[in-house]
Amino acid sequence: MRGIRLSPPPIQTINTIQSQTFPTTTTTNPNQVRFLPFQSKHNNKKKKHKTPILCLSSTNPSKIHPQPPLVVVGSANADIYVEIDRLPKEGETLSAKTGQTLAGGKGANQAACGGKLSYPTYFLGQVGQDSYGTLVTEALRSDGVCLDHVMTVSGGTPTGHAVVMLQSDGQNSIIVVGGANMSCWPDILPQHDLDVVRNAGIVLLQREIPDPVNIQVAKAARSAGIPVIFDAGGMDSPIPQELLNYVDILSPNETELGRLTGMPTESFEDIAQAAAKCHKWGVKQVLVKLGEKGSSLFIEGEEPIQQPAIFAKKVLDTTGAGDTFTAAFAVALVEGKSKKECLKFAAAAASLCVQVKGAIPSMPDRKSVLELLSYH
């Protein structure tokens, strides 16, 4: 955009570690995991190397945390924000008020939310060997997310990034570049990644990584009896039936629900009928995010559970609100709360999220969520 230069954050040095045997460390936060970066010493530009960013953990999270963790498999992006009064018309150039680059991506957002809610959280994804990748991993690390299943893809594949056009009323429009999120995944996921999935308490997936990756993860989770929540945000292509076969809870917003089913979603009755179509695909539970109208959980054979939105004093940015809602719902569910309690906990988290600019920076901590709930 004319008159604005958006630069990525400076590249941070990553030290090469030749041994994978680490000394025991202590931390002040029992949920915080200390992370050590790892980078291959080989540099063959003809091949795309993938090196893990390691933390002090094992493939069996129960050996690290008494609670089975939230495992998020998904995208990691650098979100390039531009604040504008309105969207440009075709052929029009607008000047933005401000611009900045922040960590984001639906997968990273949901993992950060789990970490900020003080629940043991693992993230499995891919980043490029660039400053955007450093930006995202440092943000997740600071929120207490375990990153030993994040792969760094070399060979010129960039970290995924997105342009977020934020309007003055807090609404946004987003254009996503897939980058490492959509490229260089192995045909068969490594066994140590699938082992973490099988030892999870709950698994979160989204549509910003390839469907075959999601299918492998969901299938592994189902084989171990681990519930899978599938956020429908991301690609707008039909969801493969093979993936839906392993999904316990499908979570679209009302726009995504309409697109997936080809049905109207203007009224609650419309939404209920669209959710019923999802039930016919084999998904027993459909969690619909309705923005300022709240949320509804449609369980096959049961009455819908509705949750009104919790009022936000001022809406600054809705980016990441849906991811916050989904992740907070997952955390409450794995902690054993009722479905109604899960919806209310998620509504409070989303209400706090929209009052802060940025996706990951806006994710609330558990204390703030519980404090807001004490008034509702």
Side-chain angles (χ1 to χ4, degrees):
M1 292 188 178
R2 192 174 178 178
I4 289 183
R5 181 177 180 181
L6 299 174
S7 301
I11 296 176
Q12 299 183 24
T13 302
I14 301 179
N15 296 325
T16 298
I17 298 178
Q18 297 181 349
S19 172
Q20 295 185 25
T21 301
F22 304 110
T24 302
T25 61
T26 58
T27 59
T28 57
N29 183 347
N31 287 335
Q32 185 79 29
V33 183
R34 182 178 179 183
F35 303 99
L36 296 175
F38 179 86
Q39 184 178 25
S40 173
K41 64 181 180 180
H42 301 292
N43 183 22
N44 185 344
K45 294 183 179 180
K46 295 182 180 179
K47 295 183 179 181
K48 296 179 183 298
H49 297 289
K50 297 194 290 184
T51 55
I53 300 172
L54 298 172
C55 71
L56 301 179
S57 72
S58 74
T59 55
N60 187 345
S62 64
K63 295 180 180 179
I64 307 300
H65 307 289
Q67 300 165 296
L70 166 66
V71 174
V72 182
V73 184
S75 59
N77 285 338
D79 288 342
I80 305 167
Y81 281 82
V82 289
E83 293 190 40
I84 53 179
D85 290 323
R86 60 176 176 81
L87 293 175
K89 298 177 182 179
E90 185 176 349
E92 182 183 23
T93 298
L94 293 180
S95 294
K97 297 177 181 178
T98 61
Q100 63 181 143
T101 303
L102 301 170
K106 293 186 70 64
N109 290 346
Q110 293 175 7
C113 183
K116 285 191 174 183
L117 291 173
S118 300
Y119 195 84
T121 302
Y122 283 61
F123 179 60
L124 196 161
Q126 295 191 154
V127 297
Q129 202 171 40
D130 51 31
S131 58
Y132 285 162
T134 302
L135 173 72
V136 177
T137 54
E138 288 300 323
L140 291 174
R141 182 178 290 114
S142 67
D143 290 332
V145 178
C146 183
L147 301 180
D148 59 342
H149 298 271
V150 174
M151 304 302 294
T152 299
V153 180
S154 64
T157 300
T159 299
H161 46 286
V163 178
V164 182
M165 293 173 282
L166 180 63
Q167 299 178 69
S168 55
D169 61 357
Q171 298 303 311
N172 63 69
S173 298
I174 304 173
I175 301 172
V176 177
V177 178
N181 295 318
M182 296 300 296
S183 303
C184 308
W185 287 89
D187 292 335
I188 300 177
L189 292 178
Q191 196 61 42
H192 64 89
D193 287 341
L194 296 178
D195 285 343
V196 168
V197 171
R198 296 186 186 102
N199 284 284
I202 195 165
V203 172
L204 268 179
L205 302 174
Q206 322 80 35
R207 298 212 72 198
E208 290 184 342
I209 61 174
D211 286 330
V213 176
N214 278 330
I215 290 171
Q216 289 183 65
V217 172
K219 189 174 183 179
R222 176 61 63 86
S223 71
I226 308 302
V228 173
I229 298 179
F230 182 49
D231 189 310
M235 293 183 287
D236 60 1
S237 58
I239 301 173
Q241 183 60 52
E242 185 181 4
L243 176 54
L244 292 172
N245 291 341
Y246 301 112
V247 169
D248 295 280
I249 303 176
L250 176 65
S251 182
N253 60 31
E254 56 188 318
T255 301
E256 293 158 352
L257 179 64
R259 186 175 65 228
L260 289 170
T261 61
M263 300 174 67
T265 54
E266 299 298 323
S267 66
F268 181 79
E269 290 73 20
D270 290 339
I271 293 169
Q273 290 179 16
K277 184 172 183 178
C278 297
H279 292 153
K280 293 179 180 178
W281 297 338
V283 180
K284 302 299 183 184
Q285 302 180 59
V286 182
L287 173 60
V288 186
K289 294 159 286 197
L290 301 171
E292 62 184 13
K293 293 180 288 185
S295 61
S296 295
L297 178 61
F298 298 89
I299 303 175
E300 188 173 29
E302 300 181 17
E303 289 295 315
I305 305 173
Q306 296 179 262
Q307 169 63 47
I310 293 179
F311 175 74
K313 293 181 179 179
K314 185 176 182 180
V315 177
L316 293 179
D317 183 7
T318 59
T319 308
D323 295 328
T324 299
F325 182 95
T326 305
F329 181 92
V331 167
L333 187 62
V334 76
E335 289 179 339
K337 294 181 174 62
S338 70
K339 297 292 175 55
K340 181 63 178 176
E341 291 172 322
C342 292
L343 288 170
K344 192 171 185 179
F345 185 81
S351 176
L352 292 169
C353 171
V354 300
Q355 300 180 55
V356 179
K357 290 182 181 179
I360 289 179
S362 69
M363 305 290 171
D365 58 30
R366 181 178 288 266
K367 180 179 178 182
S368 299
V369 174
L370 294 178
E371 182 177 352
L372 178 58
L373 284 173
S374 69
Y375 296 102
H376 294 273

